[in-house]
């Protein structure tokens, strides 16, 4: 149904046949030049602005500020540059092309900032064990705002691991104890197994985007560059087979979403973005920033305390 909000933009180019084939064969592909210079510039400014205000999740679970590592999630709820990229940029059309589903919903976005010389690596992992959802129609777009090489913490993948049955523990760069509280094994560091596994990664320029699925195993080294920051964002989209499925030791949702277990993702936290947004889902956010629900934040802090996880996420 038509509404008064913008339609998603069309990309300056769609994925090529070869890129789509690589994505389905390897679980990942690097698509060059998907975002223009102006978009990258706005994202840099927005990210630096966001970093001045540490969120409750950053403070309690994600950041290792003393080491130059900053992370956060659902920043689109607070910052309009992230909101507009999530809802109205060319990413929804690209997600539609890769997922081949009639509708696409925005799942969430996340940033990973490793300042020059940051010694924090991103342990090898799959994304799906982190998430309170089940389903397969999920795609992530990893966007770098700085030139990046393996040495400056370029993301690397085990090509083909999207077909593995094995699942690994959700290990964050800060080794958050709550997310690791499962029976799953810790992933090997595949950077040390290049002789036996097809480990792939790319030197990238701002505007290049890595496209990958929810199961492919990936990780990145510390930022060994003493000059370049490594600022990356991941925007994630999903199709209709993805359902809300909350479990212990999965990513907390600090915004009210109105979903029951088994519901397909939708509503104000996971709005439809393709073929267009739905007024009831986004109207509140279009009116202004939406801070997390005080009730959900309180429940999250209490849950960490009750289960023996302290305010830093460490037991
Ligand atoms: O940027 C990184 O180091 C990690 C990114 C990542 O794991 C992800 O986007 O799923």
């Amino acid at each position: 149904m038509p509404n008064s909000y913008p339609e998603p933009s069309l990309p300056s180019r769609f994925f090529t046949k070869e890129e789509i084939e690589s994505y389905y064969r390897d679980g990942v592909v690097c698509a060059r030049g998907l975002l223009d210079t102006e978009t990258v510039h706005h994202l840099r400014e927005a990210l630096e602005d966001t970093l001045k205000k540490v969120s409750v999740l950053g403070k309690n679970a994600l950041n290792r500020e003393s080491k130059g590592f900053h992370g956060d999630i659902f920043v689109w709820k607070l910052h309009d540059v992230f909101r507009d990229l999530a809802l109205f940029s060319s990413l929804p059309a690209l997600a539609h092309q890769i997922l081949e589903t009639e509708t696409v919903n925005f799942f969430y976005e996340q940033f990973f900032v490793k300042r020059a010389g940051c010694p924090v690596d991103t342990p090898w992992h799959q994304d799906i064990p982190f998430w309170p959802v089940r389903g397969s129609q999920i795609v992530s777009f990893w966007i770098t705002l700085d030139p990046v090489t393996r040495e400056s913490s370029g993301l690397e993948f085990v090509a083909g691991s999207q077909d593995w049955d094995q699942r690994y523990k959700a290990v964050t760069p800060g080794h958050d104890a709550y997310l690791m509280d499962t029976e799953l094994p810790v992933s090997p560091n595949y950077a040390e197994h290049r002789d036996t596994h097809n480990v792939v990664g790319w030197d990238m320029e701002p505007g290049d985007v890595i496209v990958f699925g929810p199961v492919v195993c990936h990780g990145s080294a510390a930022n060994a560059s003493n000059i370049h920051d490594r600022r990356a964002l991941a925007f994630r989209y999903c199709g209709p087979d993805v359902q809300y499925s909350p479990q212990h030791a999965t990513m907390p949702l600090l915004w009210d979403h109105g979903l029951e277990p088994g519901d397909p993702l939708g509503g104000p936290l996971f709005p439809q973005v393709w073929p267009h947004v739905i007024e009831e889902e986004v109207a509140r956010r279009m009116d202004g920033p939406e801070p997390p629900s005080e009730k959900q934040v309180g429940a999250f802090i209490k849950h960490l305390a009750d289960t023996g996880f302290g305010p830093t996420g460490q037991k």
Side-chain angles (χ1 to χ4, degrees), residues 112 114 122 125 127 142 153 155 212 218 220 230 232 234 236:
F112 303 84
K114 300 185 186 181
T122 303
H125 66 279
D127 286 338
W142 190 86
S153 193
L155 204 54
F212 62 101
H218 56 287
S220 64
R230 182 279 222 181
R236 314 191 197 276

Side-chain angles (χ1 to χ4, degrees), residues 228-308:
H228 294 296
D229 290 342
R230 182 279 222 181
R231 294 168 291 182
L233 304 162
F235 278 68
R236 314 191 197 276
Y237 292 85
C238 65
D241 90 343
V242 178
Q243 299 168 358
Y244 178 53
S245 175
Q247 314 280 339
H248 174 72
T250 55
M251 180 177 87
L253 300 177
L254 301 187
W255 281 262
D256 294 327
H257 48 72
L259 297 176
E260 297 295 332
D263 285 349
L265 293 199
L269 194 54
F270 308 109
Q272 179 179 299
V273 290
W274 184 268
H276 49 71
V277 298
I278 298 172
E279 184 139 15
E280 305 84 75
E281 292 186 335
V282 300
R284 169 70 188 84
R285 176 64 190 91
M286 297 308 286
D287 273 352
E290 277 184 286
S293 138
E294 280 181 25
K295 193 168 149 220
Q296 302 290 357
V297 170
F300 167 62
I301 303 280
K302 182 167 181 316
H303 179 68
L304 290 183
D306 288 352
T307 50

Side-chain angles (χ1 to χ4, degrees), residues 69 108 110-114 120-123 125-127 130-131 140-143 153-157 171 173 212-213 216 218-221 230-236:
F69 178 82
Y108 76 104
Q110 180 163 14
F111 63 74
F112 303 84
V113 172
K114 300 185 186 181
V120 177
D121 64 328
T122 303
H125 66 279
Q126 298 148 320
D127 286 338
F130 283 78
W131 295 334
S140 290
F141 297 114
W142 190 86
I143 298 163
S153 193
L155 204 54
E156 295 193 285
F157 295 78
V171 187
F212 62 101
V216 65
H218 56 287
S220 64
R230 182 279 222 181
R231 294 168 291 182
L233 304 162
F235 278 68
R236 314 191 197 276

Side-chain angles (χ1 to χ4, degrees), residues 21-200:
E21 276 168 10
S22 302
Y23 174 81
Y24 281 102
R25 185 190 60 233
D26 297 337
V28 58
V29 66
C30 179
R32 303 290 180 183
L34 276 198
L35 297 182
D36 59 44
T37 313
E38 200 185 340
T39 303
V40 171
H41 173 73
H42 288 314
L43 286 171
R44 279 196 199 116
E45 281 187 344
L47 183 60
E48 292 298 339
D49 190 33
T50 296
L51 287 174
K52 292 182 195 138
K53 311 156 206 149
V54 183
S55 77
V56 65
L57 268 168
K59 196 161 56 202
N60 287 282
L62 299 171
N63 286 353
R64 294 180 76 188
E65 277 183 53
S66 62
K67 297 192 184 296
F69 178 82
H70 309 264
D72 210 348
I73 56 181
F74 291 97
V75 180
W76 77 274
K77 283 292 200 181
L78 303 170
H79 208 300
D80 289 359
V81 170
F82 294 102
R83 177 198 68 187
D84 291 349
L85 194 81
L87 306 185
F88 306 119
S89 72
S90 56
L91 294 182
L94 290 163
H96 166 66
Q97 190 195 3
I98 208 107
L99 292 173
E100 298 176 324
T101 55
E102 252 175 62
T103 56
V104 173
N105 286 56
F106 183 55
F107 181 18
Y108 76 104
E109 101 300 316
Q110 180 163 14
F111 63 74
F112 303 84
V113 172
K114 300 185 186 181
R115 295 297 191 193
C118 168
V120 177
D121 64 328
T122 303
W124 285 75
H125 66 279
Q126 298 148 320
D127 286 338
I128 195 80
F130 283 78
W131 295 334
V133 302
R134 68 177 53 166
S136 61
Q137 295 165 337
I138 306 178
V139 63
S140 290
F141 297 114
W142 190 86
I143 298 163
T144 178
L145 304 182
D146 300 289
V148 72
T149 61
R150 190 199 293 174
E151 289 68 36
S152 63
S153 193
L155 204 54
E156 295 193 285
F157 295 78
V158 182
S161 57
Q162 77 279 6
D163 294 329
W164 293 352
D165 291 330
Q166 178 69 58
R167 295 289 176 270
Y168 293 119
K169 216 183 253 312
V171 187
T172 62
H175 293 256
D176 181 80
Y178 172 62
L179 288 172
M180 288 170 65
D181 194 29
T182 60
E183 299 299 316
L184 295 172
V186 172
S187 168
N189 175 359
Y190 284 104
E192 292 172 359
H193 297 279
R194 295 176 195 278
D195 47 341
T196 50
H197 290 79
N198 185 11
V199 175
V200 295

